[in-house]
Amino acid sequence: MKDCEIFSTLKVPCGSKIIIRADGRNFSGLSNILELERPYDELFANLMIDVCSDFFVEFSPRLIFTFSDEINVLLSEIPFNGRVEKLNSVFASYISGSFTKNIGKYLNYFNKDEPSNLKPISFDSRVIPLSDHGIIEYFKNRQNEAWRNCLNGYSYWKLREEYGKSRAVEILNKKKSSELHEILFERGLNMSEVPQWQRRGIGLYKKEISVEGYNPINKENVTSNRSKIYKDWKLPLFDNEFFNEILI
């Protein structure tokens, strides 16, 4: 019967690095149930950071980049012998489980008046094999997407304050970036003043930190360096210099 398992032997190409991208399934509907602040909710962002932290502790990747309901993971090692089916299924289920585990710390989901309306929370996952150069371009692309989401989201919700949903969509149709900036500026919002995590996303990676301690044998204060998961809410624009450290 094992021969009937479709694609069960499909593996990541030898020698490639891989990125895992996970996306929340039907999170637009979930955001309505959770009554999130629009266009950004800091409690939701903290929830996503906790999910990424759980993943980091479990699988020790090199970098996790998240914005909205999207999680991008650069793995340091490829587990499960590179089996794509296993990678996708385990990572999607792990992230879904972590999200469900952590949601109660930030948002009122399980105590809704009508629990029968609640549905299981799920993420999908895909494997993306890339070269070192491809990895840099990939994360630049996703950070650009985070910026587009930010600009479009603020434009839409600012217009929603004045117009209905259909009219807001109609006004924004085929608008250029410069025109969106003008719409927001006319309404008192300068996008350069929007929090950096909303414009560029949030990163998690290992960072060396100095720790002060005491050596009881020599009876002296000592300083040591330790690697710690760093949650970067003020990411720079992704460039080669940033990834030169990540890819070492």
Side-chain angles (χ1 to χ4, degrees):
M1 293 300 293
K2 193 171 182 61
D3 292 339
C4 297
E5 295 181 13
I6 301 174
F7 305 129
S8 63
T9 59
L10 181 64
K11 294 185 178 182
V12 173
C14 290
S16 65
K17 293 183 174 68
I18 67 169
I19 292 169
I20 301 294
R21 184 164 83 231
D23 293 282
R25 176 176 171 269
N26 193 27
F27 266 43
S28 58
L30 179 63
S31 64
N32 292 329
I33 294 174
L34 296 174
E35 299 176 348
L36 299 182
E37 290 187 20
R38 307 297 182 91
Y40 288 90
D41 191 301
E42 192 166 345
L43 291 177
F44 182 84
N46 275 288
L47 168 58
M48 292 296 289
I49 289 297
D50 276 6
V51 174
C52 293
S53 297
D54 281 349
F55 191 100
F56 213 116
V57 170
E58 185 72 14
F59 297 104
S60 299
R62 291 187 179 181
L63 170 68
I64 299 180
F65 173 65
T66 182
F67 66 96
S68 184
D69 63 342
E70 177 177 310
I71 298 174
N72 298 275
V73 181
L74 173 60
L75 293 175
S76 54
E77 296 180 355
I78 302 176
F80 312 127
N81 201 26
R83 291 171 55 202
V84 172
E85 186 179 55
K86 189 84 169 181
L87 291 166
N88 278 330
S89 61
V90 170
F91 290 154
S93 62
Y94 188 90
I95 289 170
S96 301
S98 174
F99 190 96
T100 303
K101 181 196 77 170
N102 287 299
I103 192 172
K105 291 191 292 184
Y106 299 102
L107 300 164
N108 181 21
Y109 183 66
F110 296 111
N111 298 321
K112 292 292 183 180
D113 294 335
E114 298 183 27
S116 60
N117 292 334
L118 302 183
K119 297 181 180 180
I121 296 166
S122 59
F123 283 75
D124 68 68
S125 172
R126 70 209 69 181
V127 173
I128 307 168
L130 293 167
S131 64
D132 282 356
H133 176 73
I135 286 170
I136 297 172
E137 292 306 308
Y138 174 87
F139 279 100
K140 285 182 178 180
N141 176 273
R142 298 324 297 162
Q143 192 173 57
N144 287 338
E145 182 66 18
W147 164 241
R148 284 190 291 269
N149 283 357
C150 183
L151 181 58
N152 290 333
Y154 269 104
S155 300
Y156 174 74
W157 287 102
K158 276 293 183 181
L159 288 173
R160 277 288 299 268
E161 294 174 3
E162 302 175 37
Y163 306 98
K165 177 180 178 180
S166 298
R167 179 56 180 157
V169 171
E170 182 181 334
I171 294 172
L172 293 174
N173 185 39
K174 297 183 180 180
K175 285 287 191 296
K176 297 179 180 179
S177 174
S178 59
E179 294 174 306
L180 297 182
H181 279 283
E182 187 63 28
I183 287 173
L184 293 170
F185 190 76
E186 289 174 352
R187 288 158 177 80
L189 179 61
N190 185 336
M191 288 300 291
S192 65
E193 298 173 357
V194 168
Q196 200 156 312
W197 65 270
Q198 298 180 7
R199 292 182 281 124
R200 296 182 183 174
I202 303 167
L204 283 82
Y205 49 90
K206 287 287 185 71
K207 189 173 184 179
E208 293 290 326
I209 61 169
S210 296
V211 179
E212 300 292 333
Y214 181 75
N215 186 327
I217 297 176
N218 298 329
K219 297 182 179 180
E220 61 181 6
N221 293 323
V222 294
T223 301
S224 59
N225 291 327
R226 294 183 183 177
S227 184
K228 182 181 179 181
I229 299 174
Y230 181 64
K231 302 167 186 177
D232 196 340
W233 290 73
K234 294 184 177 181
L235 278 174
L237 288 173
F238 287 145
D239 57 16
N240 291 358
E241 182 179 352
F242 178 86
F243 281 95
N244 283 340
E245 298 182 14
I246 296 294
L247 295 176
I248 292 175

